[in-house]
Amino acid sequence: MPKISEKRKAERREQILAAARRCFAELGYEGATVVRLEEATGLSRGAIFNYFPSKEELFVELAVQDSARMSELWVNEGLEAVVREVMDIDPAWLAVYLELIRRVRTDADFRGRIEARQAEVAPVNRAKVEQGQRSGEFRNDVEAKEIGIFVNLVLNGLALQRASGEEPPSAELVLSLLGDAIGGRAPAETPPRTRP
Amino acid sequence: MPKISEKRKAERREQILAAARRCFAELGYEGATVVRLEEATGLSRGAIFNYFPSKEELFVELAVQDSARMSELWVNEGLEAVVREVMDIDPAWLAVYLELIRRVRTDADFRGRIEARQAEVAPVNRAKVEQGQRSGEFRNDVEAKEIGIFVNLVLNGLALQRASGEEPPSAELVLSLLGDAIGGRAPAETPPRTRP
């Protein structure tokens, strides 16, 4: 029997991930049983678990895809693109993250695997903030890390609001107030320090 | 048989709510079965459902308690007290909200009952923002509603982060950047408009 090519393997992997994403979003993480995953992918559980050893692993890979895409947007297109992306993501998929929050907090192994993958994009994201601080896009009187923390608070708040089905605020409002919090300060606002 | 007094009824109601809160936080909303609620409250399901017709109703009442307490803090003590409260709430309890987000979005009846109760505190919260705009605590070049939206984004982001078990940022950082987004503008920052 001929071996399945690497290209075919990669395609099938993507096909499984895309179907799993739809399935989790539609049914919730708990509702997406193995039987439903089989239906959504059109593959047997044996074939699925040949690529991803567990349902949990499927979720972790989808989360990794998301952080990679967000990081790419952030680095290449900046804050506005990221805010607009969070406003565009399917609320049903966002809710899957929230459904798993309890497990992230209480299951050290699960948490560790997600954090390890997020740590891969963290330095690139941080470097982008530092670059913005040098160019004057972001304020430089607080640490780059602190700017990242605040942006994440706002993006997470937006994700939570969208997942709950609330009417989201306009991207313009979010960008304007967020800009006032983290944007570069005009020189007049930083009075020169008097030397003792 | 003597009737149970109104005072005793109110006490028992509070006792059931407190036990249900602990039970939901410990086991998650789905994990908190009726049997576990019986154990936690020390009452039969008949007694519990005499006060609250369903598990869902128990959750709605706990959410109502939370919005009432947050509104009271906001009105009486202001933004800092609210931020510190979100940083103090049991993360396990916050996760229960997130677990139910999917239902809030997809179950119109559930959503309606929660929104109706939240609508009770909304005018008081809004009036407090408007008062802050008059006193100069908050900027008055955006609408009170917009300030409320942004504060909620940040508080929700903080709640989500804490529910996931992440190390929260310092309250000082959050208050400082949030203050820059929504705080009153120094007169110098608003150049006088030239009349045509």
Side-chain angles (χ1 to χ4, degrees):
Chain A
M1 204 169 76
K3 274 199 181 166
I4 186 168
S5 73
E6 286 305 316
K7 177 160 175 290
R8 186 72 194 89
K9 268 192 197 164
E11 280 168 4
R12 179 159 283 189
R13 193 172 180 281
E14 287 308 311
Q15 171 202 338
I16 295 170
L17 284 171
R21 186 184 286 268
R22 285 194 303 273
C23 193
F24 286 148
E26 187 192 342
L27 305 164
Y29 183 81
E30 290 304 332
T33 59
V34 173
V35 171
R36 303 301 291 262
L37 285 168
E38 287 182 316
E39 288 168 8
T41 56
L43 297 168
S44 70
R45 64 192 66 198
I48 298 170
F49 292 129
N50 194 26
Y51 288 82
F52 300 96
S54 65
K55 186 166 124 174
E56 200 175 281
E57 201 54 46
L58 267 171
F59 174 78
V60 170
E61 282 303 311
L62 290 169
V64 167
Q65 282 188 339
D66 287 354
S67 354
R69 198 178 66 254
M70 292 305 265
S71 175
E72 207 181 306
L73 269 178
W74 169 242
V75 169
N76 297 330
E77 303 182 34
L79 186 58
E80 180 169 345
V82 172
V83 167
R84 293 192 187 275
E85 174 70 10
V86 174
M87 290 196 161
D88 258 1
I89 302 175
D90 179 5
W93 168 248
L94 290 173
V96 177
Y97 275 90
L98 304 182
E99 189 184 348
L100 287 170
I101 283 280
R102 186 166 192 273
R103 187 182 303 195
V104 171
R105 195 183 68 258
T106 57
D107 177 340
D109 176 61
F110 185 51
R111 179 179 171 75
R113 278 188 296 142
I114 288 181
E115 285 183 342
R117 303 301 296 267
Q118 284 174 341
E120 291 170 20
V121 292
V124 187
N125 293 347
R126 176 74 56 84
K128 170 75 175 181
V129 179
E130 287 164 353
Q131 180 200 319
Q133 286 183 302
R134 286 192 298 273
S135 74
E137 181 188 0
F138 301 131
R139 62 196 291 178
N140 52 24
D141 59 342
V142 298
E143 288 178 34
K145 185 183 169 184
E146 296 177 316
I147 290 179
I149 287 170
F150 196 77
V151 171
N152 270 328
L153 282 186
V154 172
L155 293 176
N156 283 338
L158 206 48
L160 196 160
Q161 197 176 24
R162 293 205 57 239
S164 76
E166 259 184 76
E167 185 69 30
S170 75
E172 287 67 31
L173 174 70
V174 175
L175 286 163
S176 161
L177 298 195
L178 184 54
D180 288 340
I182 63 165
R185 309 284 95 167
E189 293 178 50
T190 319
R193 303 204 179 187
T194 51
R195 289 173 184 273
Chain B
M1 205 169 79
K3 276 202 180 161
I4 188 168
S5 74
E6 286 306 315
K7 177 160 174 290
R8 185 74 196 85
K9 269 192 196 163
E11 281 169 5
R12 178 159 284 185
R13 193 172 179 284
E14 288 307 311
Q15 172 203 336
I16 295 170
L17 283 171
R21 186 183 285 269
R22 288 193 303 275
C23 195
F24 286 147
E26 187 192 342
L27 304 164
Y29 183 80
E30 290 304 332
T33 58
V34 173
V35 171
R36 303 301 290 262
L37 285 169
E38 287 181 316
E39 288 168 10
T41 56
L43 296 168
S44 71
R45 65 192 66 197
I48 298 170
F49 292 128
N50 195 25
Y51 288 83
F52 301 96
S54 65
K55 188 166 122 175
E56 202 176 279
E57 202 52 48
L58 267 171
F59 173 78
V60 171
E61 281 304 311
L62 290 169
V64 168
Q65 282 189 339
D66 287 355
S67 1
R69 199 178 64 255
M70 292 304 265
S71 175
E72 206 181 307
L73 269 177
W74 169 243
V75 170
N76 296 329
E77 303 182 35
L79 186 58
E80 178 169 348
V82 171
V83 167
R84 293 192 187 276
E85 175 69 10
V86 174
M87 289 196 161
D88 258 1
I89 302 175
D90 180 5
W93 169 247
L94 289 174
V96 177
Y97 275 90
L98 304 183
E99 189 185 348
L100 287 169
I101 284 279
R102 187 167 190 277
R103 186 181 306 197
V104 171
R105 196 184 66 260
T106 57
D107 177 339
D109 176 61
F110 185 51
R111 178 179 173 75
R113 279 188 295 142
I114 288 181
E115 284 184 343
R117 303 302 297 263
Q118 283 173 342
E120 292 171 18
V121 292
V124 187
N125 293 347
R126 176 73 57 84
K128 171 76 175 180
V129 178
E130 288 163 350
Q131 181 199 319
Q133 287 183 301
R134 285 190 298 272
S135 75
E137 181 187 0
F138 301 129
R139 63 197 291 177
N140 51 25
D141 58 344
V142 296
E143 287 178 34
K145 186 182 170 186
E146 296 177 316
I147 291 180
I149 286 169
F150 196 77
V151 170
N152 269 330
L153 281 186
V154 172
L155 293 176
N156 283 338
L158 206 49
L160 196 160
Q161 194 175 28
R162 294 204 56 238
S164 76
E166 260 184 73
E167 186 70 32
S170 75
E172 286 67 30
L173 174 70
V174 176
L175 286 164
S176 161
L177 297 196
L178 184 52
D180 287 341
I182 63 164
R185 274 31 201 155
E189 290 177 53
T190 317
R193 303 202 178 185
T194 51
R195 289 172 185 272

